[in-house]
Amino acid sequence: MTKISVIGSGTMGRGIAYVAALNGFSVALNDIHSESLKQAENYIKDELVKSEQKGYINKEDIERSMNNLTFSLDMKACVEDSDLVIEAVLEIMDVKIKVFKELDRLCPKNTILATNTSTMSPTEIGAHTSRPDKVIAMHFFNPVHKMKLIEIVKGLDTSEETMEFVKDIGKQMKKETVEVNEFPGFITSRMNCLIGNEAMNMLMEGVASAEDIDKAIKLGLNHPMGPLALADLVGLDTRLRNMEYLHQTLGEKYRPCPLLTKYVKAGKLGVKTGSGFFNYT
């Protein structure tokens, strides 16, 4: 059985672990906080039960999926026999590089190292390892078990063998994939950040309410979710970091809306804090 290790048990990490375990992979989920791991375990159990209640899976699927999962504070034990490691930590380059240096030291030489970044450079991350040919980006979307796409982003030194292996993993997870040659923001984040930032500017300018901006985009442009609600779901702190990175790498059109900065300073981060452009309490 192919073993996948996931580093970071937050929203994305636990979602990736859930989907991988459900689709037959042996999965080890690692975090530095025991409480985060416990929350991830409870989340996965709850989502499996919900899926069974809706008729998507059966009780045997739940048991098999949970048996496929282990939860560990010990990164070395988590990754020492992994075929693929997927990093899902904060969108901060220094943090990711630190994690990848440790993974490069701990993992077997044939292990492929993937980052779940939505904007950042797998080339830069891979350059800090001894295996840049085995470093790649796998950009999953939230919620992982519902969203069909993985953006697979090839760095400068990523080999074709690594690309094909990761594409096959995506297929086994029952996802569609797109192959991207690295450029800041890839495909989806470049578009999403522009649309969301313009929606925030319109709200700041008083063009319309948050509710009506999102309603117009959903009904007029046929988007499944309004850009402000989507930013709340992603996390406004995460969106601000993405915008700052794209502003730095792609220029002025990605300057973060001042309203976004103000909300983050106020601790209004979206769904995870109960308040953002909308209230969730």
Side-chain angles (χ1 to χ4, degrees):
M1 183 185 293
T2 301
K3 180 178 176 182
I4 296 176
S5 296
V6 181
I7 309 301
S9 64
T11 299
M12 296 307 298
R14 67 192 185 188
I16 295 166
Y18 164 53
V19 169
L22 182 61
N23 286 287
F25 294 97
S26 173
V27 182
L29 182 58
N30 167 261
D31 203 288
I32 59 174
H33 301 294
S34 59
E35 183 59 30
S36 295
L37 281 176
K38 189 61 182 176
Q39 290 173 357
E41 184 175 0
N42 290 336
Y43 166 85
I44 292 170
K45 288 178 180 176
D46 288 346
E47 289 299 323
L48 287 167
V49 170
K50 288 177 187 177
S51 293
E52 189 266 333
Q53 290 171 343
K54 293 176 181 177
Y56 298 133
I57 63 175
N58 57 42
K59 292 188 184 299
E60 289 73 23
D61 294 323
I62 295 177
E63 183 178 358
R64 186 178 65 253
S65 297
M66 292 309 301
N67 287 338
N68 285 343
L69 280 160
T70 58
F71 302 85
S72 176
L73 293 168
D74 185 346
M75 183 185 286
K76 181 180 180 181
C78 185
V79 306
E80 60 186 359
D81 57 349
S82 293
D83 301 289
L84 170 67
V85 179
I86 303 174
E87 163 272 311
V89 303
L90 290 173
E91 285 286 90
I92 300 172
M93 181 59 83
D94 288 346
V95 175
K96 291 184 181 296
I97 288 172
K98 182 179 179 181
V99 170
F100 269 75
K101 284 181 176 179
E102 189 71 358
L103 291 174
D104 188 44
R105 184 178 69 84
L106 295 175
C107 291
K109 292 301 181 184
N110 64 329
T111 303
I112 290 172
L113 307 179
T115 173
N116 180 52
T117 183
S118 58
T119 57
M120 294 182 177
S121 167
T123 298
E124 182 176 353
I125 293 169
H128 291 271
T129 74
S130 63
R131 62 184 88 191
D133 60 312
K134 291 181 171 60
V135 175
I136 199 164
M138 295 178 74
H139 178 205
F140 291 81
F141 295 81
N142 185 31
V144 179
H145 64 289
K146 293 183 179 179
M147 300 297 284
K148 299 176 181 178
L149 181 67
I150 306 173
E151 275 186 306
I152 301 177
V153 186
K154 184 179 180 181
L156 181 65
D157 296 310
T158 306
S159 69
E160 284 300 322
E161 290 78 10
T162 297
M163 172 63 76
E164 291 305 314
F165 178 84
V166 169
K167 284 169 65 177
D168 185 60
I169 293 290
K171 184 178 180 181
Q172 292 181 60
M173 288 185 180
K174 299 182 174 61
K175 301 295 185 186
E176 296 289 336
T177 62
V178 292
E179 187 174 332
V180 183
N181 292 313
E182 181 195 318
F183 207 78
F186 315 147
I187 298 172
T188 56
S189 292
R190 282 183 70 172
M191 295 301 298
N192 246 346
C193 284
L194 274 181
I195 294 168
N197 209 49
E198 191 59 24
M200 295 170 201
N201 282 323
M202 288 192 289
L203 180 63
M204 183 177 68
E205 293 160 2
V207 173
S209 67
E211 290 79 5
D212 281 351
I213 291 170
D214 272 17
K215 183 177 181 180
I217 299 301
K218 287 165 65 180
L219 301 183
L221 299 181
N222 205 30
H223 288 207
M225 176 180 281
L228 298 175
L230 179 57
D232 276 352
L233 179 63
V234 168
L236 300 188
D237 52 341
T238 299
R239 177 58 63 89
L240 178 59
R241 285 193 292 267
N242 289 343
M243 290 299 305
E244 289 171 340
Y245 179 77
L246 292 174
H247 181 224
Q248 177 187 357
T249 54
L250 295 179
E252 191 62 24
K253 64 183 177 181
Y254 287 95
R255 178 180 293 277
C257 173
L259 189 60
L260 173 61
T261 303
K262 185 184 292 187
Y263 272 56
V264 172
K265 287 180 177 179
K268 297 178 181 291
L269 307 182
V271 173
K272 62 187 172 184
T273 61
S275 178
F277 293 110
F278 301 96
N279 290 318
Y280 300 93
T281 54

